[in-house]
Amino acid sequence: MRSTVRTSTIRGIEAIPVDVELDVSSGLPSFSIVGLADVAVLEARERVRSAVRASGFAFPNARVVVNLAPGPLRKHGTGFDLPIAAALLAATGQLPSRIVDGCTLVGELSLDGSVRSVPGMLAHALLARETGVLIGPVCSDGAADLEDLEYRPLARLGDLVRDRSSLMPAAASIAATEESPSEDMADIFGHELAKRALEVAATGGHNVLMVGPPGAGKTMLARRLPGILPPLTADERLSTALVHSVAGLDDAAPLSGVRPFRAPHHSSSIAGLVGGGSPPRPGEVSLAHNGVLFLDEMPEFGPASLQALRQPMEDGRVVLVRADGRIRFPARFALVGAANPCPCGFLGDPDRPCTCPPGAVGRYAARIGGPLLDRIDMYLRIERVDPARVLDARPDEASWIIRERVVQARERASTRGLGQTASLTGTALFAACRLSPEARRGVERAARAYHLSGRGITRLLRVARSVADLDGLPRVDRDQIDEAIAYRFGTGGGSLGTCP
Amino acid sequence: MTDRTLGQRGEDAAAAYLERAGMTIVDRNWRCKAGEIDIVALDGTTLVLCEVKTRRTVAKGTPEEAVTVTKQRRIGRLAAAYIQQAGIEPVEVRFDVVSILVIAADRALLRHHRAAFVLQ
């Protein structure tokens, strides 16, 4: 007896349909799987056999051959357990095939017959939404809540034989849950300029590099950035959650609108940062899609790792080229870096002298490198706060108040209908800015004085546009241009921040 | 008692057990170039190919552990050869393993694994 059950496998962030063909014929008892399956798929044999028996079904004493089509596509992961078991039950007459006809089945089986979740359920669900019903595990993260998807959650393999009437209707769309960040901007005393700058960065999704002596508060400020970021829009939620889902991470937070904030350690490998491995997995830049990638102690990252960030920062995506084709991961993120101005940390400090040997400062700054520094929109000098201010601490403006302003500024930006400020270019950018003649002269003067490249002017205008949005101004005027210039060129001489 | 006679006595005990369990013994120690099948039996319409393992200690693992994947593959090849040579077309084929652990001069533990393995 033969049967076919539909399933899908993950490639990049996409689910690709796969047919599980199963043939039970007389012959020496055997159970084999063909069709470019990896080790995890081959191990399905043991899990399927145990689960079938534990669920009260019989495993045939016959020759069982499973073919995964299309043949040339590599299949990996444990999600094939459930479709193989269903195909086996259908082929041996233990399951009416109408129950699985037109359905996509995905899930890992436990030895006792319960169905487990696999990475990428959201991607499987997106594909199944086009083709029909999805049958999968009960615990499937955000997949079950996808709109317009008929989802049948299955606690155990045995529940398959119950009729289709137990289909669960798609749940109501996900409501945004208000998360309460434990770390609040109100805890930071002083640093008014830095807070304003982060507010501008949060509004436009600009890249920021904070430079300052150890203990000045760079990391503290960065950690409080998620608290002032606006929630994800509906489209952003899905694309960010999709990356989390295929990486095997919880997609509940992005689906409820929380912007991702990724802070990889500086020992991270290139593959860990930009994605890679076999099968290819998204890296930190993709997990930070539509959110913030925070690199603490930025010069300590390997030079190759840092330079690998350049392409995703320009394109908003990572393209991995493999022997069997290209895989794309989205990676539109705002880079926030923190660095000491020099190896000893005190260059430019008004009170403490820098003790670095000659040449060390230049080498330290060169680790980040010009091309990457050119992609930074804002340089912030974070100075140590006066001791008296730390001791007299009074709570400052709370994160939610700042966030409210950022949300309003983003709304103003979105009513222009030209797209996100951080990705505006050319005529769209000029149309968005509506520069006053005086502002235009200011840009020209700054461009000549600082030898700005075309990219430099573009980035300057984007920051100025965000400042104007925050201040509720329809046009970009001289003051906003000046503020943007200050963010880019205002830091003290000779430090990391002025390198470009 | 030598290992050889131990194995022989174990196979006798296994055959007696299988007959008592309702099977018909068709062949004992069937040989070809590729090796030997200990017991060939019929359980209703199912052709049963049985491997018998007898041990005196579990120092090197239980008797059934000795039926490794390599050995399973060899038994699979032998089964195909047997079916072809005997000119039969069985409805169903099954691989059984009988493990016998001798614990005293006149006492042994016997375990019968029905459908002990399938080929990969």
Side-chain angles (χ1 to χ4, degrees), chain A residues 25-33 42 45-46 49 53 59-62 64, chain B residues 46 49 76-77 79-80 83 90-95 115-120:
Chain A
S25 59
S26 65
L28 296 180
S30 68
F31 189 6
S32 52
I33 299 177
L42 294 180
R45 288 183 294 206
E46 301 301 327
R49 194 163 18 166
R53 288 199 179 130
F59 195 89
N61 215 344
V64 179
Chain B
T46 304
L49 302 152
R77 282 197 300 274
I83 290 165
V91 179
E92 216 176 75
V93 182
R94 203 175 76 203
F95 296 112
F117 59 88
V118 302
L119 303 171
Q120 307 223 320

Side-chain angles (χ1 to χ4, degrees), chain A residues 144-161:
Chain A
D145 300 330
L146 205 62
E147 274 176 76
D148 304 324
L149 171 75
E150 220 182 325
Y151 187 71
R152 185 178 172 192
L154 211 60
R156 319 181 56 81
L157 178 62
D159 296 347
L160 255 186
V161 291

Side-chain angles (χ1 to χ4, degrees), chain A residues 95-115:
Chain A
L95 172 76
S97 61
R98 62 176 168 80
I99 289 185
V100 289
D101 275 348
C103 298
T104 301
L105 283 79
V106 177
E108 180 184 321
L109 287 177
S110 154
L111 296 185
D112 67 358
S114 51
V115 182

Side-chain angles (χ1 to χ4, degrees), chain A residues 272-284:
Chain A
L273 271 180
V274 301
S278 180
R281 257 177 59 99
E284 291 290 326

